[in-house]
PDB file of all heavy atoms in Angstrom:
ATOM      1  N   GLN F  63     -10.681  -0.331 -11.596  1.00 97.00           N
ATOM      2  CA  GLN F  63     -10.031  -0.591 -10.344  1.00 97.00           C
ATOM      3  C   GLN F  63     -11.125  -1.013  -9.326  1.00 97.00           C
ATOM      4  O   GLN F  63     -11.977  -0.231  -8.959  1.00 97.00           O
ATOM      5  CB  GLN F  63      -9.328   0.657  -9.780  1.00 97.00           C
ATOM      6  CG  GLN F  63      -8.300   1.252 -10.701  1.00 97.00           C
ATOM      7  CD  GLN F  63      -7.731   2.513 -10.073  1.00 97.00           C
ATOM      8  OE1 GLN F  63      -6.861   2.489  -9.213  1.00 97.00           O
ATOM      9  NE2 GLN F  63      -8.220   3.670 -10.497  1.00 97.00           N
ATOM     10  N   SER F  64     -11.033  -2.267  -8.871  1.00 98.00           N
ATOM     11  CA  SER F  64     -11.962  -2.703  -7.772  1.00 98.00           C
ATOM     12  C   SER F  64     -11.481  -2.232  -6.421  1.00 98.00           C
ATOM     13  O   SER F  64     -12.272  -2.222  -5.481  1.00 98.00           O
ATOM     14  CB  SER F  64     -12.071  -4.219  -7.849  1.00 98.00           C
ATOM     15  OG  SER F  64     -10.929  -4.840  -7.237  1.00 98.00           O
ATOM     16  N   PHE F  65     -10.198  -1.901  -6.305  1.00 98.00           N
ATOM     17  CA  PHE F  65      -9.607  -1.535  -5.021  1.00 98.00           C
ATOM     18  C   PHE F  65      -9.668  -2.691  -4.008  1.00 98.00           C
ATOM     19  O   PHE F  65      -9.565  -2.449  -2.817  1.00 98.00           O
ATOM     20  CB  PHE F  65     -10.216  -0.263  -4.415  1.00 98.00           C
ATOM     21  CG  PHE F  65      -9.970   0.975  -5.193  1.00 98.00           C
ATOM     22  CD1 PHE F  65     -11.018   1.857  -5.508  1.00 98.00           C
ATOM     23  CD2 PHE F  65      -8.712   1.278  -5.686  1.00 98.00           C
ATOM     24  CE1 PHE F  65     -10.784   3.014  -6.262  1.00 98.00           C
ATOM     25  CE2 PHE F  65      -8.468   2.416  -6.444  1.00 98.00           C
ATOM     26  CZ  PHE F  65      -9.508   3.269  -6.718  1.00 98.00           C
ATOM     27  N   GLY F  66      -9.829  -3.922  -4.512  1.00 98.00           N
ATOM     28  CA  GLY F  66      -9.683  -5.053  -3.617  1.00 98.00           C
ATOM     29  C   GLY F  66      -8.306  -5.122  -3.021  1.00 98.00           C
ATOM     30  O   GLY F  66      -8.141  -5.486  -1.841  1.00 98.00           O
ATOM     31  N   LEU F  67      -7.312  -4.771  -3.831  1.00 98.00           N
ATOM     32  CA  LEU F  67      -5.913  -4.599  -3.365  1.00 98.00           C
ATOM     33  C   LEU F  67      -5.809  -3.173  -3.006  1.00 98.00           C
ATOM     34  O   LEU F  67      -5.465  -2.298  -3.859  1.00 98.00           O
ATOM     35  CB  LEU F  67      -4.920  -5.027  -4.434  1.00 98.00           C
ATOM     36  CG  LEU F  67      -3.510  -5.315  -3.961  1.00 98.00           C
ATOM     37  CD1 LEU F  67      -2.671  -5.815  -5.187  1.00 98.00           C
ATOM     38  CD2 LEU F  67      -2.781  -4.188  -3.353  1.00 98.00           C
ATOM     39  N   GLY F  68      -6.098  -2.819  -1.764  1.00 98.00           N
ATOM     40  CA  GLY F  68      -6.100  -1.431  -1.301  1.00 98.00           C
ATOM     41  C   GLY F  68      -4.951  -1.177  -0.345  1.00 98.00           C
ATOM     42  O   GLY F  68      -4.010  -1.922  -0.247  1.00 98.00           O
ATOM     43  N   PHE F  69      -5.041  -0.068   0.389  1.00 98.00           N
ATOM     44  CA  PHE F  69      -3.939   0.312   1.244  1.00 98.00           C
ATOM     45  C   PHE F  69      -3.726  -0.623   2.395  1.00 98.00           C
ATOM     46  O   PHE F  69      -2.578  -0.813   2.809  1.00 98.00           O
ATOM     47  CB  PHE F  69      -4.126   1.744   1.713  1.00 98.00           C
ATOM     48  CG  PHE F  69      -3.323   2.722   0.927  1.00 98.00           C
ATOM     49  CD1 PHE F  69      -3.676   3.155  -0.341  1.00 98.00           C
ATOM     50  CD2 PHE F  69      -2.106   3.214   1.404  1.00 98.00           C
ATOM     51  CE1 PHE F  69      -2.928   4.019  -1.092  1.00 98.00           C
ATOM     52  CE2 PHE F  69      -1.325   4.114   0.660  1.00 98.00           C
ATOM     53  CZ  PHE F  69      -1.714   4.482  -0.588  1.00 98.00           C
ATOM     54  N   PHE F  70      -4.782  -1.230   2.936  1.00 98.00           N
ATOM     55  CA  PHE F  70      -4.501  -2.241   3.986  1.00 98.00           C
ATOM     56  C   PHE F  70      -3.737  -3.407   3.471  1.00 98.00           C
ATOM     57  O   PHE F  70      -2.772  -3.871   4.068  1.00 98.00           O
ATOM     58  CB  PHE F  70      -5.834  -2.697   4.614  1.00 98.00           C
ATOM     59  CG  PHE F  70      -5.617  -3.767   5.671  1.00 98.00           C
ATOM     60  CD1 PHE F  70      -5.202  -3.418   6.931  1.00 98.00           C
ATOM     61  CD2 PHE F  70      -5.814  -5.136   5.375  1.00 98.00           C
ATOM     62  CE1 PHE F  70      -4.947  -4.383   7.877  1.00 98.00           C
ATOM     63  CE2 PHE F  70      -5.618  -6.069   6.328  1.00 98.00           C
ATOM     64  CZ  PHE F  70      -5.160  -5.725   7.614  1.00 98.00           C
ATOM     65  N   GLU F  71      -4.180  -3.952   2.317  1.00 98.00           N
ATOM     66  CA  GLU F  71      -3.453  -5.081   1.719  1.00 98.00           C
ATOM     67  C   GLU F  71      -2.046  -4.740   1.321  1.00 98.00           C
ATOM     68  O   GLU F  71      -1.116  -5.565   1.457  1.00 98.00           O
ATOM     69  CB  GLU F  71      -4.254  -5.586   0.492  1.00 98.00           C
ATOM     70  CG  GLU F  71      -5.587  -6.213   0.806  1.00 98.00           C
ATOM     71  CD  GLU F  71      -6.679  -5.214   1.142  1.00 98.00           C
ATOM     72  OE1 GLU F  71      -6.545  -4.022   0.714  1.00 98.00           O
ATOM     73  OE2 GLU F  71      -7.672  -5.616   1.815  1.00 98.00           O
ATOM     74  N   TYR F  72      -1.838  -3.482   0.891  1.00 98.00           N
ATOM     75  CA  TYR F  72      -0.507  -3.042   0.589  1.00 98.00           C
ATOM     76  C   TYR F  72       0.386  -2.983   1.823  1.00 98.00           C
ATOM     77  O   TYR F  72       1.515  -3.539   1.810  1.00 98.00           O
ATOM     78  CB  TYR F  72      -0.571  -1.630  -0.050  1.00 98.00           C
ATOM     79  CG  TYR F  72       0.688  -0.819  -0.016  1.00 98.00           C
ATOM     80  CD1 TYR F  72       1.823  -1.263  -0.602  1.00 98.00           C
ATOM     81  CD2 TYR F  72       0.708   0.463   0.601  1.00 98.00           C
ATOM     82  CE1 TYR F  72       2.992  -0.503  -0.592  1.00 98.00           C
ATOM     83  CE2 TYR F  72       1.802   1.203   0.648  1.00 98.00           C
ATOM     84  CZ  TYR F  72       2.960   0.784   0.047  1.00 98.00           C
ATOM     85  OH  TYR F  72       4.113   1.534   0.119  1.00 98.00           O
ATOM     86  N   PHE F  73      -0.081  -2.354   2.874  1.00 98.00           N
ATOM     87  CA  PHE F  73       0.722  -2.284   4.101  1.00 98.00           C
ATOM     88  C   PHE F  73       1.002  -3.679   4.673  1.00 98.00           C
ATOM     89  O   PHE F  73       2.121  -3.978   5.107  1.00 98.00           O
ATOM     90  CB  PHE F  73      -0.024  -1.441   5.169  1.00 98.00           C
ATOM     91  CG  PHE F  73       0.093   0.026   4.956  1.00 98.00           C
ATOM     92  CD1 PHE F  73      -1.038   0.857   5.051  1.00 98.00           C
ATOM     93  CD2 PHE F  73       1.317   0.665   4.629  1.00 98.00           C
ATOM     94  CE1 PHE F  73      -0.940   2.222   4.912  1.00 98.00           C
ATOM     95  CE2 PHE F  73       1.404   2.042   4.474  1.00 98.00           C
ATOM     96  CZ  PHE F  73       0.248   2.800   4.600  1.00 98.00           C
ATOM     97  N   ARG F  74       0.007  -4.533   4.582  1.00 98.00           N
ATOM     98  CA  ARG F  74       0.168  -5.910   5.069  1.00 98.00           C
ATOM     99  C   ARG F  74       1.240  -6.679   4.286  1.00 98.00           C
ATOM    100  O   ARG F  74       2.079  -7.390   4.848  1.00 98.00           O
ATOM    101  CB  ARG F  74      -1.167  -6.679   5.035  1.00 98.00           C
ATOM    102  CG  ARG F  74      -1.123  -8.075   5.608  1.00 98.00           C
ATOM    103  CD  ARG F  74      -2.495  -8.751   5.544  1.00 98.00           C
ATOM    104  NE  ARG F  74      -2.969  -8.894   4.148  1.00 98.00           N
ATOM    105  CZ  ARG F  74      -4.206  -9.360   3.855  1.00 98.00           C
ATOM    106  NH1 ARG F  74      -5.070  -9.695   4.837  1.00 98.00           N
ATOM    107  NH2 ARG F  74      -4.563  -9.501   2.613  1.00 98.00           N
ATOM    108  N   PHE F  75       1.188  -6.511   2.974  1.00 98.00           N
ATOM    109  CA  PHE F  75       2.189  -7.181   2.094  1.00 98.00           C
ATOM    110  C   PHE F  75       3.591  -6.672   2.394  1.00 98.00           C
ATOM    111  O   PHE F  75       4.544  -7.454   2.500  1.00 98.00           O
ATOM    112  CB  PHE F  75       1.831  -6.928   0.636  1.00 98.00           C
ATOM    113  CG  PHE F  75       2.686  -7.685  -0.317  1.00 98.00           C
ATOM    114  CD1 PHE F  75       3.024  -8.999  -0.155  1.00 98.00           C
ATOM    115  CD2 PHE F  75       3.252  -7.007  -1.447  1.00 98.00           C
ATOM    116  CE1 PHE F  75       3.856  -9.675  -1.021  1.00 98.00           C
ATOM    117  CE2 PHE F  75       4.022  -7.680  -2.332  1.00 98.00           C
ATOM    118  CZ  PHE F  75       4.364  -9.028  -2.172  1.00 98.00           C
ATOM    119  N   CYS F  76       3.744  -5.346   2.548  1.00 98.00           N
ATOM    120  CA  CYS F  76       5.079  -4.816   2.922  1.00 98.00           C
ATOM    121  C   CYS F  76       5.563  -5.453   4.168  1.00 98.00           C
ATOM    122  O   CYS F  76       6.742  -5.844   4.293  1.00 98.00           O
ATOM    123  CB  CYS F  76       4.980  -3.293   3.077  1.00 98.00           C
ATOM    124  SG  CYS F  76       4.792  -2.373   1.569  1.00 98.00           S
ATOM    125  N   GLU F  77       4.713  -5.550   5.184  1.00 98.00           N
ATOM    126  CA  GLU F  77       5.101  -6.186   6.434  1.00 98.00           C
ATOM    127  C   GLU F  77       5.502  -7.651   6.238  1.00 98.00           C
ATOM    128  O   GLU F  77       6.513  -8.136   6.785  1.00 98.00           O
ATOM    129  CB  GLU F  77       3.980  -6.089   7.437  1.00 98.00           C
ATOM    130  CG  GLU F  77       4.288  -6.650   8.802  1.00 98.00           C
ATOM    131  CD  GLU F  77       3.167  -6.378   9.812  1.00 98.00           C
ATOM    132  OE1 GLU F  77       2.174  -7.123   9.725  1.00 98.00           O
ATOM    133  OE2 GLU F  77       3.243  -5.439  10.582  1.00 98.00           O
ATOM    134  N   ASP F  78       4.742  -8.362   5.403  1.00 98.00           N
ATOM    135  CA  ASP F  78       4.974  -9.801   5.167  1.00 98.00           C
ATOM    136  C   ASP F  78       6.351 -10.027   4.527  1.00 98.00           C
ATOM    137  O   ASP F  78       7.026 -11.016   4.806  1.00 98.00           O
ATOM    138  CB  ASP F  78       3.908 -10.338   4.224  1.00 98.00           C
ATOM    139  CG  ASP F  78       2.570 -10.567   4.865  1.00 98.00           C
ATOM    140  OD1 ASP F  78       2.552 -10.604   6.145  1.00 98.00           O
ATOM    141  OD2 ASP F  78       1.579 -10.688   4.154  1.00 98.00           O
ATOM    142  N   ILE F  79       6.790  -9.127   3.628  1.00 98.00           N
ATOM    143  CA  ILE F  79       8.079  -9.333   2.919  1.00 98.00           C
ATOM    144  C   ILE F  79       9.217  -8.506   3.482  1.00 98.00           C
ATOM    145  O   ILE F  79      10.295  -8.521   2.930  1.00 98.00           O
ATOM    146  CB  ILE F  79       7.870  -9.106   1.437  1.00 98.00           C
ATOM    147  CG1 ILE F  79       7.551  -7.604   1.140  1.00 98.00           C
ATOM    148  CG2 ILE F  79       6.795  -9.975   0.857  1.00 98.00           C
ATOM    149  CD1 ILE F  79       7.467  -7.282  -0.373  1.00 98.00           C
ATOM    150  N   GLY F  80       8.970  -7.780   4.550  1.00 98.00           N
ATOM    151  CA  GLY F  80      10.056  -6.985   5.168  1.00 98.00           C
ATOM    152  C   GLY F  80      10.444  -5.779   4.381  1.00 98.00           C
ATOM    153  O   GLY F  80      11.584  -5.314   4.484  1.00 98.00           O
ATOM    154  N   ALA F  81       9.513  -5.207   3.637  1.00 98.00           N
ATOM    155  CA  ALA F  81       9.758  -3.990   2.848  1.00 98.00           C
ATOM    156  C   ALA F  81       9.154  -2.795   3.516  1.00 98.00           C
ATOM    157  O   ALA F  81       8.011  -2.875   4.010  1.00 98.00           O
ATOM    158  CB  ALA F  81       9.262  -4.137   1.431  1.00 98.00           C
ATOM    159  N   LYS F  82       9.862  -1.670   3.549  1.00 98.00           N
ATOM    160  CA  LYS F  82       9.252  -0.440   4.078  1.00 98.00           C
ATOM    161  C   LYS F  82       8.291   0.118   3.093  1.00 98.00           C
ATOM    162  O   LYS F  82       8.526   0.165   1.887  1.00 98.00           O
ATOM    163  CB  LYS F  82      10.363   0.591   4.360  1.00 98.00           C
ATOM    164  CG  LYS F  82      11.332   0.206   5.419  1.00 98.00           C
ATOM    165  CD  LYS F  82      12.369   1.270   5.656  1.00 98.00           C
ATOM    166  CE  LYS F  82      13.381   0.911   6.751  1.00 98.00           C
ATOM    167  NZ  LYS F  82      14.429   1.918   6.951  1.00 98.00           N
ATOM    168  N   PRO F  83       7.050   0.496   3.554  1.00 98.00           N
ATOM    169  CA  PRO F  83       6.090   1.110   2.663  1.00 98.00           C
ATOM    170  C   PRO F  83       6.485   2.498   2.187  1.00 98.00           C
ATOM    171  O   PRO F  83       7.002   3.283   3.023  1.00 98.00           O
ATOM    172  CB  PRO F  83       4.827   1.116   3.468  1.00 98.00           C
ATOM    173  CG  PRO F  83       5.204   1.084   4.878  1.00 98.00           C
ATOM    174  CD  PRO F  83       6.526   0.347   4.923  1.00 98.00           C
ATOM    175  N   LEU F  84       6.302   2.797   0.923  1.00 98.00           N
ATOM    176  CA  LEU F  84       6.458   4.146   0.400  1.00 98.00           C
ATOM    177  C   LEU F  84       5.268   4.528  -0.405  1.00 98.00           C
ATOM    178  O   LEU F  84       5.197   4.369  -1.621  1.00 98.00           O
ATOM    179  CB  LEU F  84       7.732   4.209  -0.485  1.00 98.00           C
ATOM    180  CG  LEU F  84       7.983   5.509  -1.261  1.00 98.00           C
ATOM    181  CD1 LEU F  84       7.918   6.744  -0.399  1.00 98.00           C
ATOM    182  CD2 LEU F  84       9.321   5.465  -2.017  1.00 98.00           C
ATOM    183  N   PRO F  85       4.155   4.883   0.315  1.00 98.00           N
ATOM    184  CA  PRO F  85       2.966   5.330  -0.415  1.00 98.00           C
ATOM    185  C   PRO F  85       3.138   6.620  -1.114  1.00 98.00           C
ATOM    186  O   PRO F  85       3.870   7.513  -0.622  1.00 98.00           O
ATOM    187  CB  PRO F  85       1.925   5.437   0.720  1.00 98.00           C
ATOM    188  CG  PRO F  85       2.714   5.705   1.930  1.00 98.00           C
ATOM    189  CD  PRO F  85       4.011   4.995   1.750  1.00 98.00           C
ATOM    190  N   VAL F  86       2.533   6.776  -2.247  1.00 98.00           N
ATOM    191  CA  VAL F  86       2.616   8.025  -3.007  1.00 98.00           C
ATOM    192  C   VAL F  86       1.212   8.616  -3.110  1.00 98.00           C
ATOM    193  O   VAL F  86       0.243   7.970  -3.464  1.00 98.00           O
ATOM    194  CB  VAL F  86       3.194   7.788  -4.465  1.00 98.00           C
ATOM    195  CG1 VAL F  86       3.249   9.078  -5.221  1.00 98.00           C
ATOM    196  CG2 VAL F  86       4.558   7.135  -4.340  1.00 98.00           C
ATOM    197  N   ILE F  87       1.121   9.913  -2.800  1.00 98.00           N
ATOM    198  CA  ILE F  87      -0.137  10.674  -2.908  1.00 98.00           C
ATOM    199  C   ILE F  87       0.053  11.777  -3.945  1.00 98.00           C
ATOM    200  O   ILE F  87       1.056  12.398  -4.027  1.00 98.00           O
ATOM    201  CB  ILE F  87      -0.480  11.311  -1.507  1.00 98.00           C
ATOM    202  CG1 ILE F  87      -0.547  10.224  -0.433  1.00 98.00           C
ATOM    203  CG2 ILE F  87      -1.739  12.092  -1.591  1.00 98.00           C
ATOM    204  CD1 ILE F  87      -1.643   9.202  -0.643  1.00 98.00           C
ATOM    205  N   ALA F  88      -1.021  11.996  -4.709  1.00 98.00           N
ATOM    206  CA  ALA F  88      -0.948  13.039  -5.699  1.00 98.00           C
ATOM    207  C   ALA F  88      -0.752  14.414  -5.008  1.00 98.00           C
ATOM    208  O   ALA F  88      -1.214  14.659  -3.926  1.00 98.00           O
ATOM    209  CB  ALA F  88      -2.249  13.090  -6.537  1.00 98.00           C
ATOM    210  N   ALA F  89       0.027  15.275  -5.659  1.00 98.00           N
ATOM    211  CA  ALA F  89       0.313  16.628  -5.139  1.00 98.00           C
ATOM    212  C   ALA F  89      -0.857  17.569  -5.415  1.00 98.00           C
ATOM    213  O   ALA F  89      -0.654  18.740  -5.735  1.00 98.00           O
ATOM    214  CB  ALA F  89       1.598  17.156  -5.760  1.00 98.00           C
ATOM    215  N   ALA F  90      -2.098  17.043  -5.336  1.00 98.00           N
ATOM    216  CA  ALA F  90      -3.312  17.816  -5.533  1.00 98.00           C
ATOM    217  C   ALA F  90      -3.399  18.424  -6.926  1.00 98.00           C
ATOM    218  O   ALA F  90      -4.046  19.467  -7.109  1.00 98.00           O
ATOM    219  CB  ALA F  90      -3.442  18.932  -4.438  1.00 98.00           C
ATOM    220  N   VAL F  91      -2.778  17.775  -7.865  1.00 97.00           N
ATOM    221  CA  VAL F  91      -2.945  18.121  -9.277  1.00 97.00           C
ATOM    222  C   VAL F  91      -3.102  16.830 -10.064  1.00 97.00           C
ATOM    223  O   VAL F  91      -2.523  15.780  -9.720  1.00 97.00           O
ATOM    224  CB  VAL F  91      -1.791  18.950  -9.889  1.00 97.00           C
ATOM    225  CG1 VAL F  91      -1.707  20.348  -9.262  1.00 97.00           C
ATOM    226  CG2 VAL F  91      -0.440  18.233  -9.724  1.00 97.00           C
TER     227      VAL F  91
END
């Protein structure tokens, strides 16, 4: 994973296509 497609690019893409972001974070396990 280069993380070139990271959270900024994700949020920006959601905005571009009119989709609400639903980020998922590990439950610390």
Side-chain angles (χ1 to χ4, degrees):
Q63 302 177 82
S64 75
F65 293 132
L67 199 176
F69 259 77
F70 177 78
E71 292 76 23
Y72 160 60
F73 282 135
R74 182 178 65 184
F75 184 48
C76 287
E77 184 176 77
D78 286 343
I79 65 176
K82 294 180 180 180
L84 171 52
V86 180
I87 302 296
V91 292

